[in-house]
Amino acid sequence: MELGVDYVDIELKVADKFVDFLSGNKPDKCKLIVSSHNYESTPSCEELANLVARIQEVGADIVKVATTATDIIDVSRMFQVMVHCQVPMIGLVMSERGLMSRVLSPKFGGYLTFGILDATKTSASGQPTLEELLDVYNIRCIGPDTKVLGLIANPVKQSKSPILHNKCLQSVGYNAVYLPLLADDLARFLDTYSSPDFSGFSCSLPFKVDAVHCCHEHDAVAKSIGAINTIVRKSDGKLVGYNTDYIGAISAIEDGLGSKDAAMSPLSGRLIVVVGAGGAAKAIAYGAKKKGARVVVANRTYEKAVTLANAVGGQALRLADLENFRPEEGTILANATSLGMYPNVDGTPVPKKALRFYDVVFDAVYAPKVTRLLREAKEHGVKVVSGVEMFVRQAMGQFEHFTGGIEAPESLMREIAAQYT
């Protein structure tokens, strides 16, 4: 303080002693931040409000409260207190589940937020880097009217969607920010963040099927598939579910196959083996059937494979059966599980020796771009289709839903995908 700094941050536990020590001799230019840290949880709104009052009483110019999120819905309590606080307040919720408290600080009236200079040197979990705050989340442009979009998933930090969508939103001048949202319960999340400002979400593992039951309305494709990857909140508060995985995956596979007949899908009459029985698998199986393909569903849980296979008039297999499965000539293999996804990059759904029998291998996983499955298929000379194609194409559909019909900047999306995957 004597050296002329603008701010001094003192922990609440010793703040009264510090203020007594100053004896009223604090320089006018120096602001006193008094902070309280809770490394276990985020208290109730009432408890947080009482804590703010205690910090004020000590003589703080700026109140700082840092808590810990055990669930992403904990952040909502911090937002409520910040919005109603009558003095300058810094409200941060630690852990990966609390990330949005740091990014959305300017939207909810926060005095400031923290960004780290070096990603390898964090002082609290869930801290974004300065570069991410400025270049990915465009935090200087976030304000009270900024719409909140995001990817609801678990895990979520491996996703490149925040980079892709934020860059594209900025390019068209749409006032929104897209966040990675690590959730544990989709219904609770949607119920908690029910403000119209939380206007749209991407849904990924493991929530694509749950999303069907959370939405008030569904488009025809999503209803038929029984899985949703895009949720839009209408002005009346109703949630509408869409599925852009379907067109993203199927068009990528079709382009990979190539076709001389523009009137007929190259999938028509072919056999496709879909690995998985979750939301992405449902979209691929449904889309392939619609294009005239015959479908085999292989899954670790056989009962789920049977359910999906029955829904598309196909055959069910256990995942282990694929090791000795001998498909007919021209068969396509489509992985719709998370096996091989970062950080578990050594995972693969099908042994290498079995891949040589397929004509094309598609992997919905895009991080890494070349998964073990694709690498081993290429080593057998099999044609491969990367999940990056599905990623870009489904994102284009989502972008248009989120923005009310603004055309997605495809060339920019492909440039970003190529750079970051």
Side-chain angles (χ1 to χ4, degrees), residues 275-308:
V275 183
K282 288 182 176 184
I284 294 170
Y286 168 87
K289 182 195 175 187
K290 195 171 182 182
K291 296 289 186 175
R294 291 166 293 122
V295 180
V296 170
V297 179
N299 193 56
R300 189 173 289 154
T301 306
Y302 181 65
E303 292 73 20
K304 291 183 178 179
V306 171
T307 300
L308 179 52

Side-chain angles (χ1 to χ4, degrees), residues 150-169:
L151 171 64
I152 307 171
N154 192 338
V156 74
K157 65 182 176 182
Q158 82 290 341
S159 176
K160 306 304 179 187
S161 290
I163 298 172
L164 184 81
H165 279 287
N166 281 313
K167 296 284 187 187
C168 292
L169 290 165

Side-chain angles (χ1 to χ4, degrees), residues 1 6-10 15 18-19 22 26 30-34 58-63:
M1 188 175 281
D6 295 310
Y7 300 93
V8 168
D9 186 341
I10 298 292
F18 182 74
V19 171
L22 289 177
K26 181 172 74 69
C30 185
K31 300 293 185 185
L32 180 62
I33 301 171
V34 176
V58 172
D61 296 307
I62 300 161
V63 171

Side-chain angles (χ1 to χ4, degrees), residues 185-245:
D185 185 307
L186 178 63
R188 287 183 72 200
F189 175 90
L190 294 171
D191 187 52
T192 300
Y193 298 100
S194 57
S195 158
D197 279 358
F198 287 80
S199 60
F201 306 101
S202 308
C203 280
S204 193
L205 291 169
F207 299 122
K208 292 183 179 183
V209 176
D210 292 346
V212 176
H213 309 293
C214 294
C215 290
H216 303 97
E217 300 172 14
H218 319 81
D219 77 337
V221 171
K223 198 168 186 178
S224 298
I225 294 171
I228 283 168
N229 77 321
T230 309
I231 298 175
V232 173
R233 178 173 275 117
K234 297 200 302 184
S235 57
D236 62 3
K238 287 187 176 178
L239 299 172
V240 184
Y242 303 91
N243 192 302
T244 65
D245 280 340

